[in-house]
Amino acid sequence: MDILEEYLRSDFYNKYSDTYYSDSILKNVFGKAITKHRVRLKSYKDVYEKNIEVMQDFIEYANEAQSVDEYSKWLMLYSFYIDPDGKSIKYAQDVACSADGLVSLRRIYNMCGLNQNLVEEYKEYRKAPIFHFPKETNGINMSRAAVFGDRIDHTLYDIKRMCEGEDNCRLKLAYSLPKTKRWLEYFQYDFKGIVEWLEVGGIFVDENYNIYDLEKNDNTTIINYKEDYKWEWTDSYYNNIKAKISKYYEERKV
């Protein structure tokens, strides 16, 4: 039995046929020329909860599928996954800022594989957004992945340096974009004001607004850039960022 035939016989297909979720698999993975159904989910919470529901059903299918290798299963799951970040907008005056998730689904998959642990990690660490940056092409949200390997601690370090008037900031091009520039001007380039607006004081930065080094988790703060940044995270950074997320949720009663 080939992959498509087995998929079409699955309980997951029977449940989600003629919906966006199965349409995405058929079109994006199997190359079927179909028009995908739309999904009408209004809020971050709506998308987050629906993701959990569908992913849970998909994991059950993945556990039973005999003809499908794990990477193909991942492609199927990722084809229908909806990132909730776009549904969370926070304004700084007239500048719309979209959520910037700290732990992506791909990160979780890389650490957990495709199993029940993936669903549980997603459920625990993506239940509410924390950081928001100006919604702008090639802005902070997009640039930090390429420049800092998606590390939020070194991103904050760079923003602080920029606010202090340093010239050689790594995200300098993003800071010059129209919306990001207006966002910074709104805070008068005051890093303390940005931290307070983000509500991350005491969690990602210390009382003096120095940024905790999340590779170490010993209250060490960042004093310089790394020589290079890789997209792959160490187990230490992954576990420490999860601990910070949990602390944020606990202190902010999320």
Side-chain angles (χ1 to χ4, degrees):
M1 186 185 303
D2 67 16
I3 296 176
L4 177 58
E5 182 181 357
E6 184 173 32
Y7 172 68
L8 294 175
R9 292 184 179 185
S10 69
D11 291 339
F12 182 88
Y13 175 75
N14 288 332
K15 180 173 181 178
Y16 292 101
S17 61
D18 297 323
T19 71
Y20 161 83
Y21 300 96
S22 185
D23 289 349
S24 295
I25 292 174
L26 292 174
K27 184 171 185 175
N28 299 336
V29 179
F30 294 110
K32 297 298 181 181
I34 60 175
T35 300
K36 292 190 287 186
H37 286 73
R38 297 183 63 186
V39 178
R40 292 177 173 82
L41 299 169
K42 295 182 178 180
S43 68
Y44 184 103
K45 184 173 183 289
D46 291 341
V47 177
Y48 161 79
E49 291 179 345
K50 188 64 176 179
N51 279 338
I52 293 171
E53 175 190 338
V54 183
M55 286 194 295
Q56 183 67 68
D57 289 335
F58 184 81
I59 292 298
E60 293 179 11
Y61 154 74
N63 288 338
E64 297 172 358
Q66 300 296 315
S67 304
V68 192
D69 62 273
E70 178 165 319
Y71 185 66
S72 295
K73 293 173 184 176
W74 159 248
L75 293 178
M76 295 167 77
L77 185 152
Y78 195 64
S79 73
F80 66 71
Y81 172 71
I82 301 172
D83 190 340
D85 286 348
K87 295 293 185 180
S88 179
I89 304 296
K90 183 175 182 177
Y91 284 88
Q93 201 165 22
D94 65 332
V95 180
C97 300
S98 58
D100 191 11
L102 297 180
V103 182
S104 69
L105 182 66
R106 186 183 294 274
R107 295 281 183 191
I108 297 172
Y109 167 72
N110 285 347
M111 291 294 182
C112 298
L114 205 154
N115 50 50
Q116 185 61 34
N117 288 338
L118 178 146
V119 180
E120 296 305 320
E121 294 266 292
Y122 184 86
K123 187 185 298 185
E124 180 65 25
Y125 300 108
R126 289 301 303 269
K127 62 184 176 182
I130 299 177
F131 285 88
H132 292 76
F133 295 117
K135 189 176 181 181
E136 192 163 30
T137 302
N138 297 323
I140 296 172
N141 285 4
M142 297 174 65
S143 299
R144 77 179 183 92
V147 176
F148 294 118
D150 240 5
R151 285 187 56 163
I152 191 62
D153 53 353
H154 279 262
T155 302
L156 291 173
Y157 174 70
D158 196 71
I159 294 173
K160 183 182 180 185
R161 282 174 55 84
M162 183 276 308
C163 289
E164 292 173 346
E166 299 290 345
D167 290 330
N168 60 337
C169 298
R170 303 286 177 89
L171 299 180
K172 189 173 183 177
L173 291 178
Y175 303 144
S176 67
L177 295 172
K179 293 180 182 178
T180 304
K181 189 171 184 291
R182 290 210 315 274
W183 179 73
L184 293 167
E185 289 171 347
Y186 171 76
F187 295 107
Q188 298 181 324
Y189 293 86
D190 175 27
F191 185 67
K192 178 180 177 181
I194 293 172
V195 168
E196 292 177 350
W197 180 78
L198 291 169
E199 299 183 88
V200 296
I203 300 174
F204 292 90
V205 304
D206 68 13
E207 66 276 8
N208 296 314
Y209 297 91
N210 296 312
I211 295 87
Y212 289 121
D213 186 337
L214 300 187
E215 191 71 51
K216 299 177 181 179
N217 198 33
D218 59 0
N219 292 330
T220 300
T221 56
I222 299 171
I223 59 173
N224 206 346
Y225 295 110
K226 289 168 59 69
E227 288 187 10
D228 58 55
Y229 296 88
K230 301 183 184 303
W231 192 88
E232 296 80 8
W233 285 351
T234 63
D235 290 347
S236 175
Y237 182 83
Y238 181 70
N239 290 327
N240 292 340
I241 193 72
K242 290 194 301 179
K244 291 295 185 182
I245 293 170
S246 294
K247 184 176 181 180
Y248 177 92
Y249 289 162
E250 180 181 358
E251 294 192 1
R252 304 297 184 264
K253 295 179 170 51
V254 173

